[in-house]
């Protein structure tokens, strides 16, 4: 699998993502600067976490205008996989590649913690190795991770199985106490209608090795990387 990790001004999980792909999966992964207009033949595109353009205006609002985003849109339109992690999820929503928006956390403060997530669908190129209702652990670190969508969009996401991950408690249930940021319906990640675009606020790239505390993030990468 040849992967391109987009590097915006302010990205800070870009090198971690490349290192994880290379060390855990022996993947052909490289950084692509945001001013480039080609993805270099990549099969997988990842928009990493961070604070693109310093989060000015809104998170992801300026990054959607970066020159490389035309290539990302073309890649997505062709049905090829695109993954947005944290700030990458925010950018995909701002760019209109995923529905909804990420707003300030309910408590109006930055959160850095480990969370439990329940896999809600395995029907995507990313989650084929996961089991439906499987609970995994991943870290979060964000100030604007509160997923919001209008009632019609939310109904469509739920009805068409586009919710990929939900925040849950120790018993695997989506309780208010398990919701770290106020996201509607405890939503932590969604897939596009075509199911080739996945956006999530937790960081799977930081949870692929036990030495880092969890291998829960591998549910996002194992199928694409062909390890399971």
């Amino acid at each position: 699998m040849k992967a391109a990790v987009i590097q915006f001004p302010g990205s800070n999980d870009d090198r971690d993502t490349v290192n994880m792909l290379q060390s855990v999966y022996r993947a052909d992964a490289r950084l692509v600067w945001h001013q480039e207009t080609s993805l270099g033949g990549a099969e997988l595109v990842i928009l990493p976490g961070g604070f693109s353009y310093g989060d000015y205006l809104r998170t992801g609002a300026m990054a959607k205008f970066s020159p490389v985003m035309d290539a990302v849109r073309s890649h997505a339109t062709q049905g090829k996989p695109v993954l947005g992690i944290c700030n990458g999820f925010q950018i995909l929503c701002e760019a209109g590649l995923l529905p909804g928006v990420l707003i300030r956390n309910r408590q109006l403060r930055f959160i850095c913690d480990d969370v439990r997530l329940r896999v809600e669908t395995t029907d995507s190129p990313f989650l084929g190795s996961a089991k439906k209702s499987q609970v995994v652990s991943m870290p979060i670190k964000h100030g604007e991770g509160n997923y919001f969508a209008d009632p019609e969009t939310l109904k469509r996401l739920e009805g068409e199985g586009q919710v990929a991950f939900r925040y849950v408690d120790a018993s695997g249930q989506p309780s208010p106490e398990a919701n770290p940021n106020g996201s509607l319906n405890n939503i932590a990640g969604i897939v596009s209608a075509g199911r080739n675009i996945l956006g999530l606020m937790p960081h799977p790239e930081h949870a692929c090795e036990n030495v880092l505390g969890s291998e829960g993030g591998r549910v996002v990468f194992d199928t694409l990387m062909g390890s399971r």
Side-chain angles (χ1 to χ4, degrees), residues 11 35 39 56 61 88 101 112 120 137 161 175 197 205 220:
S11 294
Q35 290 186 325
L39 299 173
Y56 287 118
V101 67
C112 183
E120 297 296 288
S137 175
S175 64
I197 307 172
E205 80 279 19
V220 173

Side-chain angles (χ1 to χ4, degrees), residues 161-228:
Q162 289 181 244
V163 176
F165 291 104
R166 220 181 291 274
Y167 299 109
V168 296
D169 58 24
S171 65
Q173 299 305 307
S175 64
E177 294 74 19
N179 188 339
N181 49 36
S183 290
L184 290 176
N185 293 8
N186 282 46
I187 290 174
I190 60 173
V191 294
S192 62
R195 317 195 83 79
N196 62 305
I197 307 172
L198 169 64
L200 75 167
M201 288 310 298
H203 287 262
E205 80 279 19
H206 294 323
C208 288
E209 298 173 274
N210 274 328
V211 69
L212 297 179
S214 169
E215 288 192 338
R218 294 190 62 148
V219 296
V220 173
F221 299 103
D222 277 356
T223 300
L224 279 174
M225 297 301 162
S227 69
R228 289 183 185 175

Side-chain angles (χ1 to χ4, degrees), residues 47-48 83-94 98-99 102 145 147 187-190 198-202:
L47 279 63
L83 171 63
I85 303 169
C86 195
N87 187 222
F89 185 17
Q90 296 161 341
I91 295 169
L92 291 175
C93 288
E94 287 287 339
L98 286 173
L102 284 309
Y147 183 77
I187 290 174
I190 60 173
L198 169 64
L200 75 167
M201 288 310 298

Side-chain angles (χ1 to χ4, degrees), residues 61-81:
M62 295 183 70
K64 71 177 180 181
F65 295 112
S66 284
V68 76
M69 287 303 294
D70 284 340
V72 174
R73 289 188 185 88
S74 177
H75 186 88
T77 301
Q78 295 173 53
K80 298 177 181 177

Side-chain angles (χ1 to χ4, degrees), residues 21-44:
L21 291 171
Q22 292 175 342
S23 62
V24 176
Y25 294 101
R26 307 300 179 193
D28 179 5
R30 75 177 185 95
L31 294 172
V32 173
W33 183 234
H34 75 117
Q35 290 186 325
E36 294 188 34
T37 57
S38 170
L39 299 173
E43 301 163 274
L44 167 66

Side-chain angles (χ1 to χ4, degrees), residues 98-100 150-163 193:
L98 286 173
D150 62 76
E152 183 178 342
T153 299
L154 197 61
K155 182 179 180 181
R156 186 176 69 251
L157 290 173
E158 296 284 2
E160 298 182 3
Q162 289 181 244
V163 176

Side-chain angles (χ1 to χ4, degrees), residues 84-136:
I85 303 169
C86 195
N87 187 222
F89 185 17
Q90 296 161 341
I91 295 169
L92 291 175
C93 288
E94 287 287 339
L97 291 171
L98 286 173
V101 67
L102 284 309
I103 61 176
R104 293 288 302 278
N105 294 341
R106 174 179 50 200
Q107 56 276 67
L108 302 181
R109 63 179 176 81
F110 190 91
I111 303 170
C112 183
D113 204 352
D114 290 322
V115 295
R116 294 184 184 87
L117 304 167
R118 190 174 71 191
V119 177
E120 297 296 288
T121 178
T122 59
D123 184 15
S124 82
F126 303 92
L127 298 169
S129 66
K131 297 179 180 176
K132 188 172 172 56
S133 301
Q134 178 180 354
V135 176
V136 297

